[in-house]
Amino acid sequence: IASFEQAFRMQMSAPEIQNIADETQSTRRLYGLDDAASEDFALQCLLARRFSERGVRFVQCNSNGWDHHSGLESAMRQMARSVDRPIAGLLSDLKSRGLLDETLVVWVGEFGRLPTSQGGSGRDHNMHAFTALAAGGGLKRGHVHGATDEFGFKAVENPVHVHDLHATMLHLLGLDHLRLTYRFQGRDFRLTDVHGKVIKGVMA
């Protein structure tokens, strides 16, 4: 019954949250809603702010089309143009509303990318080096954690495993990854498996 009641409340509140008619023109421009190249992701980021300020705890935005095994130069320019303004707009808007300190914003993709050419105009997947960008939510400002070798092939300075990233994200959200388990097929599983350590060096 509680689940059905929650679903009803969500259905009743969702239309108002998703109606951006009350947003100013300056806010629309800030996010890039005035540019066809960025308007799709801009709307997602604007809605992310609207959901966050109304208490929604987890919001996910998707930017598809980054798997550049060919046509890398033109594709990267196009993809960067589609996300740069919306991302900057979201961070600026959260900060101006006093929400950034309590909101963890994380950007990741599915893979790192090799520093070598694939077929002359693409780049293949790289499991040895991966970049994640995070802001707000108790993180240091302007901090860079770790580095690759001179070719960008492998993480060599302060390497972070994906389980470390997850453990740190959970810590910033007030959750202990060592205690956060879920039951599946009769066993208790942890989100970070038997791995993961919180990266203290990124904390504010």
Side-chain angles (χ1 to χ4, degrees), residues 122-135:
R123 290 172 70 189
D124 205 352
H125 303 155
N126 184 7
M127 66 178 184
H128 301 293
F130 183 92
T131 300
L133 177 64

Side-chain angles (χ1 to χ4, degrees), residues 58 104 106 108 132 134 137 139 159-180 190-203:
F58 298 93
L104 177 64
V106 181
V108 291
L139 292 170
V160 173
H161 192 276
V162 66
H163 290 306
D164 301 337
L165 176 62
H166 290 163
T168 304
M169 290 167 60
L170 290 168
H171 176 79
L172 291 167
L173 296 172
L175 300 169
D176 182 355
H177 77 106
L178 297 176
R179 300 177 61 193
L180 185 62
R190 208 169 79 196
L191 289 176
T192 51
D193 195 33
V194 295
H195 312 281
K197 61 181 183 295
V198 176
I199 309 163
K200 298 293 187 181
V202 301
M203 308 293 176

Side-chain angles (χ1 to χ4, degrees), residues 62-116:
N62 290 310
S63 171
N64 298 316
W66 292 90
D67 201 15
H68 305 137
H69 293 278
S70 62
L72 178 67
E73 184 176 356
S74 61
M76 280 296 292
R77 290 179 188 276
Q78 178 181 342
M79 293 308 299
R81 183 177 174 187
S82 73
V83 300
D84 278 355
R85 276 181 68 192
I87 289 171
L90 174 61
L91 291 176
S92 298
D93 206 7
L94 288 172
K95 184 177 180 181
S96 70
R97 295 168 187 267
L99 293 170
L100 188 57
D101 288 341
E102 63 185 43
T103 305
L104 177 64
V105 188
V106 181
W107 295 267
V108 291
E110 60 174 347
F111 287 104
R113 286 288 174 171
L114 289 171
T116 54

Side-chain angles (χ1 to χ4, degrees), residues 44-69:
Q44 291 187 58
C45 288
L46 177 55
L47 289 175
R49 187 267 288 164
R50 291 175 65 87
F51 275 97
S52 297
E53 68 183 345
R54 287 164 174 80
V56 177
R57 295 184 179 184
F58 298 93
V59 183
Q60 178 175 319
C61 300
N62 290 310
S63 171
N64 298 316
W66 292 90
D67 201 15
H68 305 137
H69 293 278

